[in-house]
Amino acid sequence: MTQQGVRWTADQVLALAPDAASRKAGSKLGAAGPWSEAGSSEEGTVWGLCKGSGSKPYQTVIDIADAAGPAYKCSCPSRKFPCKHALGLLLLWAGGEGAVPPGRAPDWAEQWIEGRRQRAPEKQTAGAAGSAAGSGDPEAARRRAERRAARITAGATELEQRLADLLRGGLAGAEQAGYGMWEETAARMVDAQAPGLAGRVRELGAIPSSGPGWPVRLLEECALLHLLDQGWLRRERLPDGLASTVRSRIGLPASADGPAIRDRWLVLAQYDTADARLTTRRIWLHGTDSGRTALLLSYGAAGRAPELALPVGLELEAEVSAYPGTGQSRAALGERFAPPAPSATRPPGLTTEQAAARYGEALRDDPWLDSVPVTLDRVIPAPDGDSWQLADAEGDWALPLTASAGSRPGLWRLVALAGGAPVKVFGECGHRGFTPLTAWPEGPGEAVPLC
């Protein structure tokens, strides 16, 4: 599949920006003024020279045909990927052939393009060799797994005692003790090589200062943490699927060992979350033939965007393999058979009542599940006191929006898109409410990212 006749939208290009500052700066470079010698090829590459502050223009080249998402090369000193020049060039290309006509790549661009083409088979070979090396000493791997399991068991046992002490002394003591008690307990779980337990303990520490009703929320989260502890300590008695879910929630690594499903995967949403150490990118996919919903996770060091980028509204033909565990949506992206391209496909939707029921059913397989991916059909955003909700266009049911969704600019994009009329909305539905991530208008129109 060639990319010459397929143009992305400006929203799809700007979804690649690593931060708001890059998005703003890239938008300013999306006009023909600063560019010269811009061109594109049928193989899916775009290049151009961008006038900067120095005497020499910046050389920018982009490989759009990479099945994992576009790859970039720019001679500017920016450490952001993509930089503002790459974003500007993509915006220029998205506007039509006039500013980025078909042509032959200059030598400086062709050298980078050819290098990528030559390295692609080497990466696949190296990946296969790495997998083989990783399984070269199964006995050593077994001993390492046993040692880690013993440390986690010791940590889970200690955590059970701390939870018992908390409840015995009364929840009011948690507010008086402050966050230090929880951070120290979380550090103990890190020492026990149970990052999942550590993360949930840190979340407990923020509850006592979270406003009215915090004792109820703290008790609920303590109960879920106790359930996870007990699941680990009694994992040999659990069904295989639930045991895999417990291991995943504890934080043990796993491989995507499910059968590869080849499908045309529609990109439903992409958004990043970040902490002091890591940027996590979540990409939701919908299989247009299989009807499956899959979650891809990719990571980048703090301050750097993850490498995998699939803007909303694109579709790619690829294989996807599921990770183990009941109720799990996470999957790994395998072989890709064509570059991502824009698509008019929309996922099928549910009513708000059906969405709430789907979350309830999912909790039977994974009691620690915060939310499930859901597409709502024909809903109208409406105010509900100081918050917002999505109400069925026909019927009396509605889903409240999460507090975080109500404070994002995406809410106003959704309200403006709807204009009081029904829309289709994809998002995450859980016990805190519904978080809208992407919306489509009732009639013809492109997907609108909300995050």
Side-chain angles (χ1 to χ4, degrees):
M1 179 187 295
T2 64
Q3 293 290 315
Q4 186 61 37
V6 178
R7 301 284 164 175
W8 294 10
T9 67
D11 276 342
Q12 289 167 342
V13 171
L14 293 175
L16 301 169
D19 51 41
S22 298
R23 190 177 300 112
K24 182 177 180 180
S27 297
K28 293 180 179 179
L29 295 176
W35 293 95
S36 61
E37 300 182 28
S40 59
S41 74
E42 291 188 352
E43 289 73 32
T45 53
V46 184
W47 59 85
L49 300 176
C50 187
K51 183 180 179 181
S53 56
S55 58
K56 291 184 178 181
Y58 296 123
Q59 299 174 339
T60 308
V61 56
I62 304 166
D63 183 2
I64 304 166
D66 192 308
Y72 322 91
K73 172 68 175 178
C74 185
S75 60
C76 75
S78 175
R79 298 181 63 183
K80 297 180 179 180
F81 294 95
C83 66
K84 63 181 182 180
H85 306 102
L87 289 169
L89 181 57
L90 277 177
L91 287 170
L92 196 65
W93 166 79
E97 291 186 2
V100 188
R104 182 182 179 279
D107 291 342
W108 57 267
E110 185 64 31
Q111 184 177 2
W112 179 77
I113 295 167
E114 282 301 312
R116 283 187 55 78
R117 300 289 188 262
Q118 293 172 6
R119 287 192 297 271
E122 296 175 2
K123 286 184 178 180
Q124 293 178 355
T125 303
S131 298
S135 58
D137 190 349
E139 180 59 26
R142 183 188 64 79
R143 290 195 297 268
R144 287 194 298 271
E146 288 180 350
R147 288 195 295 270
R148 181 170 186 178
R151 284 192 286 267
I152 294 173
T153 296
T157 302
E158 178 182 346
L159 182 55
E160 283 291 275
Q161 184 59 53
R162 295 197 176 204
L163 289 174
D165 291 343
L166 171 66
L167 296 178
R168 188 179 298 112
L171 295 181
E175 189 173 33
Q176 299 168 0
Y179 190 77
M181 174 188 72
W182 302 105
E183 186 57 39
E184 189 269 338
T185 303
R188 296 285 294 168
M189 296 305 103
V190 172
D191 293 341
Q193 294 186 296
L197 292 179
R200 298 190 79 92
V201 168
R202 289 193 178 97
E203 291 175 2
L204 289 180
I207 294 177
S209 58
S210 62
W214 69 262
V216 174
R217 293 192 293 275
L218 181 60
L219 185 60
E220 290 172 345
E221 293 302 320
C222 284
L224 286 173
L225 187 53
H226 166 69
L227 184 64
L228 184 56
D229 271 344
Q230 290 299 313
W232 172 261
L233 296 173
R234 306 182 186 189
R235 60 193 180 280
E236 293 84 0
R237 309 180 198 176
L238 299 179
D240 290 343
L242 183 56
S244 295
T245 299
V246 169
R247 286 193 289 269
S248 173
R249 293 296 182 185
I250 288 288
L252 287 176
S255 299
D257 57 3
I261 301 173
R262 181 170 177 171
D263 205 338
R264 293 176 295 114
W265 297 94
L266 174 67
V267 183
L268 295 177
Q270 172 182 290
Y271 67 97
D272 295 349
T273 56
D275 57 28
R277 296 166 294 178
L278 198 66
T279 299
T280 302
R281 173 164 294 166
R282 290 169 171 82
I283 301 176
W284 284 107
L285 303 178
H286 168 72
T288 57
D289 296 328
S290 65
R292 288 175 174 260
T293 303
L295 173 64
L296 306 180
L297 296 180
S298 59
Y299 303 94
R304 294 180 67 90
E307 183 176 346
L308 182 62
L310 295 172
V312 172
L314 298 188
E315 184 178 272
L316 70 158
E317 185 177 357
E319 290 182 341
V320 163
S321 300
Y323 278 79
T326 54
Q328 302 293 295
S329 299
R330 188 184 175 190
L333 188 60
E335 184 177 357
R336 283 144 278 186
F337 304 97
S343 172
T345 303
R346 297 183 180 189
L350 304 174
T351 66
T352 57
E353 181 182 8
Q354 291 168 333
R358 175 168 292 185
Y359 177 59
E361 293 167 359
L363 288 176
R364 293 183 301 186
D365 293 328
D366 183 355
W368 307 279
L369 192 63
D370 285 331
S371 60
V372 294
V374 170
T375 301
L376 300 177
D377 226 356
R378 292 183 55 77
V379 291
I380 301 173
D384 179 26
D386 294 332
S387 57
W388 284 78
Q389 63 183 2
L390 293 177
D392 284 323
E394 298 90 12
D396 300 326
W397 286 80
L399 282 176
L401 296 190
T402 57
S404 59
S407 62
R408 294 176 182 170
L411 170 63
W412 304 113
R413 296 190 75 181
L414 175 60
V415 172
L417 177 69
V423 290
K424 181 187 286 281
V425 182
F426 170 78
E428 297 169 349
C429 179
H431 61 94
R432 296 183 179 91
F434 187 88
T435 301
L437 301 175
T438 306
W440 296 262
E442 175 98 307
E446 300 163 346
V448 177
L450 304 175
C451 53

